[in-house]
Amino acid sequence: MPIHHFAPPPHIKAPPLSFATRVDDLLFVSGIPGFDASGALPDGFEAQFANVVVNIKRVLSEAGAGMHDLVKVNVLLTRASNVAAMNALYAGAFGPPPYPARTTCVVQALPDPKMLIEIEAIASLAK
């Protein structure tokens, strides 16, 4: 089966990447930061998290999937102080249980100094 690439939305200034790629029944979603629909990055963690979720849902929808199809999620945070808030927000956005497998890392920096979170994911498109 050929690889299907999902391009970033035209209004988002993105680095050279696909927002997602599909190979067979797997969808690999690139790390998605908290940019809003206009391409702006809000200051607050909760707003960035909400934007990440909206963007992940959009990518999944384009591929014919939803949040319940996620099998693995990697969360990158730039502040350890946001871990508790992320867990609370994550439970609502990625639930109800069972949740996908997840790794959470606190990193020194993301590409834009204002980025507080980035999430990448793998979804199963097997029906």
Side-chain angles (χ1 to χ4, degrees), residues 88-113:
L89 294 166
Y90 184 95
F94 289 79
Y99 298 104
R102 185 183 94 192
T103 300
T104 302
C105 297
V106 177
V107 298
Q108 186 170 352
L110 289 167
D112 183 318

Side-chain angles (χ1 to χ4, degrees), residues 3 5-6 11 14 29 38 50 72 105 120:
I3 299 171
H5 298 271
F6 296 83
H11 60 280
V29 180
S38 68
K72 177 69 168 99
C105 297
E120 65 179 15

Side-chain angles (χ1 to χ4, degrees), residues 8-81:
H11 60 280
I12 298 291
K13 183 181 176 194
L17 55 77
S18 295
F19 257 32
T21 55
R22 178 181 181 167
V23 179
D24 294 324
D25 289 337
L26 291 176
L27 181 72
F28 299 88
V29 180
S30 292
I32 296 186
F35 291 102
D36 65 19
S38 68
L41 193 61
D43 290 329
F45 179 78
E46 290 81 5
Q48 286 192 27
F49 182 91
N51 289 341
V52 170
V53 171
V54 166
N55 290 320
I56 288 174
K57 286 180 177 180
R58 183 191 54 76
V59 172
L60 291 171
S61 178
E62 284 182 30
M67 297 293 272
H68 60 278
D69 296 308
L70 291 171
V71 295
K72 177 69 168 99
V73 174
N74 294 324
V75 179
L76 304 175
L77 302 172
T78 59
R79 297 179 185 162
S81 60

